[in-house]
Amino acid sequence: MRADRTFAYGATAGLLGDLLLGDPRRGHPVAAFGRAAAAVERALWRDHRGWGALHTAVCAGGAASAALLATRALRDRPAASVALTAAATWAVVGGTSLGREARAIGAALEAGDVEAARARLPHLCGRDPQSLDAPGIARAVVESVAENTSDAVVGALVWGALAGVPGLVAFRAVNTLDAMVGHRSPRHLRYGWASARLDDVAGWPGARLTAALAVAAGGAPGAAARAWRSDAAKHPSPNAGPVEASFAGALGVRLGGTLSYGGRVEHRPVLNNGGRAVEVPDIERAVRLSRRVGWLALGVAIAVRKVRT
C-alpha cells in the first residue's frame, strides 16, 4: 500500500478514535512519556542550557527513533502499518478531551458555580484560577481551546503529513517537553530553553494552518483575517498569537489582556479589540470551531501527504 493511503486511512481512523473514545483515564502513552521524561530530568538536571538541550535530545529523539523503528518493522505489512498510524494519531491528538474539559467548565459557569469552574480550570490551562471571575474564566477557556487546537490536533497532523508516524510522535514529544520544562520558572529558565525553542519551531506550521482554517471555518472570514493580520504579532508567543487572534476574529470576541500564571501577572495586548467581551456561550462556539478546524486539518494533511508521496 502506498504511504499516502496508509497515512490517510490511519490518520482518519485515529481521529475517529479520538472522537469516539477521547483520552484513556489510565495508561495514556503521552503520560508514560511524561514519566520517562521526568526521570531523565532527575538524572540530568543542571542549571545550564546545554544539559537542557541534552534532555530534549534524549527524550524527543528517543521517542522519534522508537516510532521510526516501528514504522520500518511494519512497512511490508499494510494493515499493520495502518493500525500503527491510527494508534499513533489517536495517542497524540487530544481534541475530544480538550472539548470535554472546556464544556465541563462552561457547564459549571452556566450553573453559576464559579468555584467548580475554578477547580476544573487547571485541567485545561496554567492560569491562576483564584484570580479569575466568571468572565475571566470563560476568556481563559476560549484562549486555551484556540491554542490547544493547534498544539493538540493540527500541529500533530501537519508533522504526520510531513514525516508519518515518527513525525506524529516527535511533535507530541516536543510539545509535552515544552509543557513540562519550557516555562520560565527559576528551575527551568535555562534548562528548559531548548525544549521551548524547539516547540516554537515545531509548532510554527501548525499554528499558521490553524489560523488559516479558523478564518475559513469560523463564519466571519474577514474579521478573522483582519485580527490575525493586525494582532497576531502583539502576542508574546509566536504561535499562540496567530491562533488566538484568528479565533477571536472568527468568534467576534476580545481575547488577551491581563492574566496571571503561577502568581506572576502579565498584561498582554488585546486581540481583536473591536470585538465584545467573552461570554459563557462562547465556550461552546469555540469548541465547535476547534472541531471543524481539526477535521479540515486532516483533509489538508492527507492532501499534503499525497503530494509528497
Side-chain angles (χ1 to χ4, degrees), residues 142-201:
V142 171
E143 290 172 353
S144 295
V145 168
E147 184 174 359
N148 283 294
T149 300
S150 177
D151 288 344
V153 183
V154 180
L157 292 172
V158 167
W159 283 101
L162 296 175
V165 171
L168 289 165
V169 172
F171 177 82
R172 176 54 60 225
V174 169
N175 192 249
T176 302
L177 289 173
D178 177 60
M180 294 178 68
V181 304
H183 44 84
R184 292 179 175 271
S185 67
R187 176 180 174 86
H188 294 130
L189 183 61
R190 282 178 284 273
Y191 188 82
W193 178 86
S195 290
R197 298 292 78 75
L198 184 58
D199 183 67
D200 287 343
V201 173

Side-chain angles (χ1 to χ4, degrees), residues 9 29 33 43 60 81 83 98 109-110 129 138 157 172 176 178 188 222 236 242 269 279 291 302:
Y9 298 154
F33 171 81
S81 295
L98 171 65
L109 292 175
E110 289 280 7
L157 292 172
R172 176 54 60 225
T176 302
D178 177 60
H188 294 130
E279 300 172 353
R291 181 159 292 180
I302 289 172

Side-chain angles (χ1 to χ4, degrees), residues 102-118 133-139 141 279-280 283:
R103 283 170 167 154
I105 297 169
L109 292 175
E110 289 280 7
D113 193 344
V114 177
E115 286 304 316
R118 286 178 178 146
D133 56 9
I137 293 172
R139 192 193 81 196
V141 171
E279 300 172 353
V280 174
I283 294 175

Side-chain angles (χ1 to χ4, degrees), residues 58-73 84 165-166 169:
V58 168
C59 296
S65 296
L68 179 61
L69 290 173
T71 300
R72 288 181 174 177
L84 176 64
V165 171
V169 172

Side-chain angles (χ1 to χ4, degrees), residues 22-138:
D23 293 332
R25 296 185 182 275
R26 296 182 180 178
H28 197 292
V30 175
F33 171 81
R35 289 191 294 271
V40 173
E41 180 184 353
R42 287 193 294 271
L44 294 181
W45 186 88
R46 306 287 190 283
D47 191 16
H48 191 276
R49 285 184 176 183
W51 285 94
L54 178 60
H55 172 256
T56 303
V58 168
C59 296
S65 296
L68 179 61
L69 290 173
T71 300
R72 288 181 174 177
L74 300 177
R75 61 187 169 189
D76 295 326
R77 299 167 58 188
S81 295
V82 171
L84 176 64
T85 304
T89 302
W90 166 78
V92 304
V93 301
T96 294
S97 293
L98 171 65
R100 286 176 180 170
E101 289 296 337
R103 283 170 167 154
I105 297 169
L109 292 175
E110 289 280 7
D113 193 344
V114 177
E115 286 304 316
R118 286 178 178 146
R120 191 108 192 185
L121 187 63
H123 293 263
L124 191 64
C125 67
R127 306 282 175 88
D128 293 334
Q130 297 306 317
S131 68
L132 298 173
D133 56 9
I137 293 172

Side-chain angles (χ1 to χ4, degrees), residues 195-254:
S195 290
R197 298 292 78 75
L198 184 58
D199 183 67
D200 287 343
V201 173
W204 196 95
R208 274 73 193 167
L209 178 59
T210 302
L213 294 177
V215 170
R226 283 193 298 272
W228 178 10
R229 184 174 58 251
S230 64
D231 296 339
K234 300 175 183 177
H235 198 287
S237 168
N239 294 331
V243 174
E244 291 186 20
S246 62
F247 264 66
L251 298 171
V253 300
R254 297 191 304 272

Side-chain angles (χ1 to χ4, degrees), residues 9-24:
Y9 298 154
T12 301
L15 210 59
L16 285 171
D18 176 66
L19 176 65
L20 297 174
L21 303 174
D23 293 332

